[in-house]
Amino acid sequence: MRGLVWMKDGGAEYAEVDLGAELTAVGVAIGTDPVPYRLEYTLRTLTGYVTELLSVRVHGAGWHRALDLRRSVHGAWSCETKEEGNLGGPSPGGDVNALGDALDCDLALSPLTNTMPILRHGLDANDGRIDLVTAWVGVPHLHVTRHPQRYVHLARGRVRFEGEGFGADLTLDGDGVVADYPGLARLMSGNASPAW
């Protein structure tokens, strides 16, 4: 079990992560864009870092949203949502039928969810490139969309991430956890394994 702290331009994130053949995590984040919010999540994967559950609760002044996003062992996605108050913007949830080929969730602004495809395909240590689709969860609205992404091994402990007109060279720690995501977050503490 590791306690991880990322500092972000618009907030911070703390997660308690158990990383083995499966990943489990509970975390909390605060952010400022488009409005101030506090977010709590639970993440659980199956063997091979394939998403099983992402449960998210987020609230701000006068509003609250919740999302339980699940993927069955057979690949079927489902979600349950709640919404109170007036945040504006898209409603939580989305068309899960569009997610059929997705193995991963991707919680926006959280570097933790980038770890799953990197470890599953061994891109933290081995040459390779993978194109995939994720169930991307926007924050703070918790709207779910199909999101194509690409990960490319650059060097040991370095991976290029690309997704819909955006790219960043990620630096990983010795466990394959994102330690530096330029423009998003930097790992400040996490009783980390030695870096590459």
Side-chain angles (χ1 to χ4, degrees):
M1 179 72 72
R2 294 180 58 188
L4 305 171
V5 176
W6 289 275
M7 294 304 297
K8 306 175 184 179
D9 288 345
E13 180 174 344
Y14 169 74
E16 295 173 1
V17 180
D18 191 357
L19 198 57
E22 302 165 352
L23 181 149
T24 58
V26 293
V28 61
I30 56 169
T32 59
D33 188 23
V35 295
Y37 64 85
R38 182 183 197 281
L39 179 147
E40 298 172 356
Y41 65 85
T42 299
L43 173 63
R44 188 170 62 238
T45 76
L46 302 169
T47 301
Y49 310 109
V50 173
T51 298
E52 180 182 27
L53 166 71
L54 176 65
S55 180
V56 187
R57 307 289 181 265
V58 61
H59 66 268
W63 58 271
H64 172 84
R65 290 191 171 193
L67 171 75
D68 286 326
L69 182 65
R70 297 176 185 271
R71 184 182 181 280
S72 76
V73 294
H74 305 293
W77 288 88
S78 64
C79 72
E80 296 178 9
T81 63
K82 291 183 182 175
E83 181 177 9
E84 296 175 8
N86 186 20
L87 172 59
S91 294
D95 181 9
V96 295
N97 294 320
L99 305 176
D101 53 348
L103 299 179
D104 303 293
C105 65
D106 184 1
L107 181 61
L109 307 177
S110 176
L112 180 61
T113 48
N114 295 99
T115 297
M116 299 178 312
I118 290 170
L119 291 179
R120 184 170 59 252
H121 297 284
L123 297 175
D124 52 325
N126 303 303
D127 285 340
R129 165 182 155 166
I130 186 71
D131 291 298
L132 52 88
V133 172
T134 67
W136 186 81
V137 180
V139 171
H141 298 94
L142 305 186
H143 188 68
V144 181
T145 57
R146 174 186 165 88
H147 191 256
Q149 298 180 353
R150 173 178 293 156
Y151 290 85
V152 181
H153 172 86
L154 298 176
R156 193 164 180 87
R158 294 197 34 87
V159 172
R160 173 84 179 160
F161 166 79
E162 298 173 353
E164 294 190 349
F166 174 81
D169 293 345
L170 312 179
T171 301
L172 314 172
D173 73 5
D175 288 335
V177 171
V178 176
D180 186 27
Y181 190 137
L184 177 67
R186 184 171 187 83
L187 187 63
M188 303 304 292
S189 175
N191 38 359
S193 298
W196 303 106

